[in-house]
Amino acid sequence: MRKTNRPAAALLALAAALTGCAGTGPGAPEDRAAPEDCVTDYAEGRDYFPDKATVEESELWDIAYHGSWKTITLTDTEDAAGGDLTYVLYQCGTPRPEAAGELADALFVQVPVTSVSVTSFNALAMVDRLGEADTVTGLSGQLLGNAERDAWYAGVVEEAGGPMSIGEYTDLDREAVLGLGTEVILMSGFGAGFDDVSNARAAGLPGVSVSNRMEGDALASAEWIKMVGAFYNAEGAANAEFDAIRSEFDEVVATVSGAVADREAGYLCVSPERGCEFVHAHGERTLAGRLLARLGADNVFAPGNEGPNGRPYDYEEAVGTAADADFFVVYDPMELTLDALDADPRFDRFRPLAEGAFVAGADANFEECRAKTYLDVDVLVRDFAIGMAPELFPGERGTCFTRPS
């Protein structure tokens, strides 16, 4: 049972979290109390961020630098009215900017952060790729559970040194978050109708929205590694990682250019165990839908499918819509996909499913790929390309999406 009375130490930890003081809560390692790169000779007007991020692809966030502090402004994807969220990141050892005017409602965080909780699997992939997994002191129960069945998650948890459970993103354990001296909680920012980040902030917790899955373009999604990197003063590393992703991504697109122009494809879910009553497919406004278009394929589920997360189709509508399809990407694990196809003969009406002309999630590393594919979009686009045009990638198999054996 969750306790209702917080100890004094937890209240002190809350103050530390909300002002950005590093690692002062119980459970935080001693070496996190005073980061080595804290400023000891502050001088007004000096630039304390020699490495800077520039937003090139994203439509949902931006960053500005102000000497000893920086501001990140991003679209509040939980707000149907399109409001903004502001985070003020100020260098350890320098004055905290005044919470006034446009900054009155901002979340103030002292950087570089050293005690981080994570409930977003996309954000965890970014933290890991930046080499900052050792700062993770708290994880949602779902992410910790994944460590019991996935080698990548297990490695991240080991690198983190045994992070504590902080509940789930829809029901955070406030006492656990406070007790860890958490400076930020990296959370998934989904669309209108979700309120995970809003509820965390309303409860006085330092929730940060990582909304990369709401981007329409794959490279824009990957660029969120720069946003996460800014909390670590790791803009240089984040820039390098993004440039590497973009280079590989562009190479695949150039290789496939024109080769799949006559392919009718779709991105869909079929497994009832994962919430698909029959078919749930992505249209042209989703990241996967735009990825198909980027490769030059026609998305059979694009007409009338404007939702940012796609929409469900019943049997008759799905069969009619996908009548000309010759290739599918199924985003269920392969085992569940094959189970669904065996259990429901209606799927034989879809030519790609009947003929095995599809790729589905690789069972062996499904959870790892679920965390990484919206960051490692170079891997994602290569998997799509190998599935549609295997002749262009002789001897290669997909990493996260593979054809049935």
Side-chain angles (χ1 to χ4, degrees), residues 81-387:
D84 289 336
L85 298 172
T86 301
Y87 308 125
V88 177
L89 284 53
Y90 64 102
Q91 177 61 36
C92 179
T94 70
R96 170 179 161 159
E98 183 180 358
E102 295 182 355
L103 305 182
D105 297 321
L107 174 66
F108 288 75
V109 181
Q110 187 171 268
V111 294
V113 291
T114 55
S115 180
V116 174
S117 288
V118 185
T119 66
S120 161
F121 46 79
N122 286 181
L124 188 63
M126 296 176 193
V127 171
D128 179 58
R129 183 152 181 163
L130 290 168
E132 300 288 353
D134 63 337
T135 67
V136 177
T137 54
L139 286 174
S140 67
Q142 180 186 26
L143 299 186
L144 281 172
N146 286 343
E148 298 176 3
R149 55 183 178 270
D150 181 89
W152 174 74
Y153 274 98
V156 173
V157 168
E158 182 179 4
E159 180 69 21
M164 290 181 57
S165 173
I166 59 165
E168 300 298 345
Y169 41 71
T170 53
D171 186 21
L172 293 178
D173 187 329
R174 192 168 185 269
E175 182 178 341
V177 173
L178 301 184
L180 291 170
T182 302
E183 296 158 297
V184 293
I185 312 169
L186 299 177
M187 309 179 68
S188 296
F190 295 117
F194 292 85
D195 55 10
D196 303 347
V197 180
S198 303
N199 286 343
R201 292 295 302 277
L205 299 175
V208 170
S209 179
V210 182
S211 313
N212 61 304
R213 287 193 57 170
M214 299 304 295
E215 294 278 6
D217 181 76
L219 286 175
S221 174
E223 193 172 30
W224 279 71
I225 193 173
K226 297 181 183 178
M227 196 280 287
V228 172
F231 285 86
Y232 292 99
N233 288 346
E235 283 91 336
N239 290 339
E241 294 297 335
F242 176 71
D243 288 345
I245 292 169
R246 179 165 55 186
S247 176
E248 293 292 330
F249 182 95
D250 289 344
E251 180 180 343
V252 172
V253 172
T255 298
V256 177
S257 179
V260 298
D262 60 341
R263 308 291 171 88
E264 300 283 342
Y267 182 85
L268 68 159
C269 161
V270 299
S271 172
E273 291 189 37
R274 300 189 68 241
C276 293
E277 294 181 7
F278 184 67
V279 160
H280 191 108
H282 283 217
E284 60 186 356
R285 292 188 58 204
T286 69
L287 185 150
R290 293 192 189 188
L291 198 57
L292 291 173
R294 186 77 173 265
L295 290 171
D298 290 329
N299 182 354
V300 293
F301 293 106
N305 191 351
E306 298 294 323
N309 288 304
R311 70 176 182 85
Y313 288 79
D314 63 25
Y315 172 64
E316 294 297 336
E317 185 183 20
V319 169
T321 300
D324 297 326
D326 51 30
F327 178 76
F328 281 161
V329 177
V330 183
Y331 58 92
D332 300 313
M334 182 63 75
E335 183 177 1
L336 292 182
T337 298
L338 296 178
D339 286 347
L341 301 188
D342 288 342
D344 192 340
R346 294 180 300 173
F347 285 117
D348 289 340
R349 290 286 304 276
F350 296 94
R351 185 159 60 91
L353 300 179
E355 298 178 356
F358 67 90
V359 293
D363 290 320
N365 57 344
F366 181 77
E367 292 300 338
E368 174 183 357
C369 288
R370 186 168 175 238
K372 290 184 175 180
T373 47
Y374 284 85
L375 170 63
D376 296 351
V377 296
D378 52 333
V379 175
L380 183 62
V381 73
R382 180 173 289 273
D383 285 357
F384 281 26
I386 292 172

Side-chain angles (χ1 to χ4, degrees), residues 74-87:
L74 56 87
T75 301
D76 184 355
T77 54
E78 294 180 349
D79 181 4
D84 289 336
L85 298 172
T86 301
Y87 308 125

